[in-house]
């Protein structure tokens, strides 16, 4: 067993580990967030971890890639565990496939914040008698220096293997009011300190005092500890959460590429964050493992606002950041993001302009933290823009709502090769399909037939139907819906290869 290769001693709650040491770790990526702070690009049904905020990779893909390439002489890395919600499981799986990374996906039945999510992952990690060091991290943060991140994790993992609960703290570079802070304690070993406490997001004056003192680091939200240490701490501090999560995993089942904890058991778990549920309660209790913090100097950002995105990206000579079709003329210190249309910024300073198919955000960079209030107002008005994009991903591909009006809607539907929409019917709408690319296999009532490019068919209201792409290229069709109600909830599924019946 790998544990036999390890030589360690425990000293004052920290661990001094010999240089000849291989620690088994398992990355746990917490990807269950809804993400509205980067609206309108990030929305509840397609949150920021799934979008390419900084480049072509999504933040989820970048996070999982960061878990590859550790020093094999110091740690061995097991297959990552990704914890995500039901509504994001297919796109999460597809993005991992595109990245060429084999990972296990644990599907949370409901959102219960980060502490239950980590407890589910820890319970899965110990199956078969293993007890690896968990490296738990959010899926939507930016880290510019991966080798520096990995070195910090390796230091933390060696202390975690000895029983400590480790976290990565970021020495602050400015008086930030958008982050929680860790009060740093005495030095326990090179690049390892005790933790004297956690503090909430401060106001501007207090943040300035934290920066000046040098005793407070930003809380990165990344935690490194053995699976058994986390489960024992949760059992002691949050017994209801422990019982619910352990039962959910014990009664869970494998569903293709996914592991599904038992929903009924998990429903009994309270909702809480890792910080509140456990970390903030470790200090002052000698029966609990001691918390330690390792400094992280790796260009970290939680990307919690468009201002943070501006800060993380390369700028032109005037301090501007452009993504997509953007022109600057006399603009300074601004961010413009276009997903299609040309965005021209003339003579403006310190602004954020975000263009999407169905919404445009224009904000002063000092007010971007208030985006959540805008999203709340859209929800109060029952606006679809708060939750969904015009382009909606599905396990079989996606659809784009091109146009809509009274009693009609037009969609462009793209079905990937080998994929199939469910056998379904609608009570309130009929559909006309026109194939513009590829070949479609259509089931309509008792009929099954093929349609090629420039051919069409009609699906009457109340008739069972399905659509499949039997070809080697993506199938594209134009769908024209007509009827008295065109909502996405007017679907009765009878058979679905993706388990959505």
């Amino acid at each position: 067993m790998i544990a036999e290769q390890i030589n360690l001693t425990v000293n004052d709650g920290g661990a001094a580990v010999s240089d000849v040491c291989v620690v088994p770790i398992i990355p746990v990526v917490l990807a269950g967030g809804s993400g509205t702070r980067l609206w309108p690009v990030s929305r509840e049904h397609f949150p920021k971890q799934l979008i390419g905020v900084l480049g072509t990779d999504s933040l989820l893909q970048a996070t999982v890639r960061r878990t590859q390439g550790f020093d094999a002489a110091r740690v061995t890395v097991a297959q990552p565990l990704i914890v995500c919600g039901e509504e994001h499981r297919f796109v999460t799986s597809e993005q991992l496939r595109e990245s060429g990374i084999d990972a296990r996906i644990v599907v949370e039945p409901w959102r219960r914040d980060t502490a239950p999510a980590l407890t589910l992952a820890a319970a899965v990690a110990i199956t078969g008698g293993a007890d690896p060091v968990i490296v738990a991290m959010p899926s939507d943060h930016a880290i510019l220096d991966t080798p520096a991140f990995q070195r910090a994790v390796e230091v933390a993992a060696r202390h975690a293997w000895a029983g400590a609960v480790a976290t990565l703290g970021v020495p602050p570079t400015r008086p930030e009011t958008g982050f929680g802070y860790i009060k740093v304690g005495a030095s326990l070993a090179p690049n390892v300190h005790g933790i004297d406490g956690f503090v909430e997001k401060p106001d501007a004056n207090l943040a300035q005092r934290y920066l000046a003192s040098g005793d407070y680091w930003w809380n990165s939200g990344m935690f490194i500890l053995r699976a058994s240490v986390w489960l024992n701490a949760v059992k002691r501090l949050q017994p209801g959460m422990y019982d619910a999560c352990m039962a959910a995993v014990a009664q869970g089942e494998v569903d293709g590429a996914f592991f599904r904890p038992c929903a009924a058991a998990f429903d009994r778990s309270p909702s809480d964050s890792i910080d509140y549920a456990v970390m903030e309660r470790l200090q002052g209790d000698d029966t609990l493992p001691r918390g330690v913090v390792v400094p992280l100097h790796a260009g970290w950002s939680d990307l919690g606002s468009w201002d943070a995105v501006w800060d993380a990206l390369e700028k032109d000579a005037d301090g501007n950041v452009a993504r997509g079709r953007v022109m600057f003329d006399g603009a300074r210190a601004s961010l413009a993001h276009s997903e299609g249309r040309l965005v021209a910024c003339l003579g403006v300073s310190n602004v954020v302009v975000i263009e999407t198919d169905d919404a445009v955000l224009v904000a002063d960079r000092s007010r971007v933290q208030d985006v959540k209030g805008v999203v709340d107002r859209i929800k109060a008005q029952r606006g679809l823009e708060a939750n969904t994009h015009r382009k909606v991903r599905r396990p079989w591909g996606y659809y784009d709502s091109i146009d809509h009006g009274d009693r009609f809607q037009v969609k462009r539907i793209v079905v990937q090769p080998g994929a199939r929409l469910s056998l379904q019917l609608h009570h309130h709408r009929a559909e006309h399909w026109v194939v513009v690319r590829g070949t479609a296999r259509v089931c309509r009532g008792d009929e099954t037939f093929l349609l090629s490019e420039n051919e069409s068919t009609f699906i009457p209201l109340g008739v069972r139907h399905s659509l499949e792409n039997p070809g080697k290229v993506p199938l594209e069709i134009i769908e024209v819906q007509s009827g008295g109600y065109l909502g996405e909830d007017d679907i009765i599924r009878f058979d679905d290869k993706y388990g959505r019946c």
Side-chain angles (χ1 to χ4, degrees), residues 236-238 275-285 288:
R236 166 76 186 280
L237 299 172
Q238 305 289 339
D275 286 330
Y276 289 153
V278 173
M279 292 301 296
E280 294 184 4
R281 302 174 65 178
L282 295 180
Q283 284 65 45
D285 189 335
L288 293 171

Side-chain angles (χ1 to χ4, degrees), residues 67-191:
T67 68
Q68 311 299 301
F70 277 89
D71 185 348
R74 299 172 67 84
V75 298
T76 59
V77 183
Q79 184 185 38
L81 274 174
I82 316 297
V83 185
C84 70
E86 173 70 29
E87 66 272 34
H88 304 142
R89 64 186 175 109
F90 288 110
V91 67
T92 295
S93 177
E94 177 63 17
Q95 289 194 357
L96 293 172
R97 186 195 64 77
E98 290 174 354
S99 298
I101 295 174
D102 186 24
R104 290 181 289 171
I105 299 176
V106 178
V107 182
E108 285 184 287
W110 335 101
R111 289 179 187 163
R112 288 291 189 270
D113 215 325
T114 54
L118 182 54
T119 306
L120 290 177
V124 171
I126 64 170
T127 55
D131 186 16
V133 169
I134 287 174
V135 181
M137 65 197 86
S139 60
D140 55 0
H141 290 184
I143 292 178
L144 303 183
D145 188 342
T146 295
F149 161 76
Q150 293 181 344
R151 289 192 296 270
V153 168
E154 288 167 1
V155 171
R158 293 155 74 82
H159 289 264
W161 185 257
V165 177
T167 186
L168 302 184
V170 181
T173 57
R174 61 184 183 274
E176 177 61 56
T177 60
F179 302 154
Y181 285 71
I182 300 169
K183 186 176 182 183
V184 179
S187 176
L188 302 176
N191 287 321

Side-chain angles (χ1 to χ4, degrees), residues 38-59:
L38 296 186
W39 184 89
V41 174
S42 173
R43 306 192 191 182
E44 186 163 339
H45 293 168
F46 202 74
K48 74 172 184 174
Q49 67 264 24
L50 300 176
I51 60 179
V53 176
L54 301 182
T56 55
D57 273 355
S58 72
L59 294 177

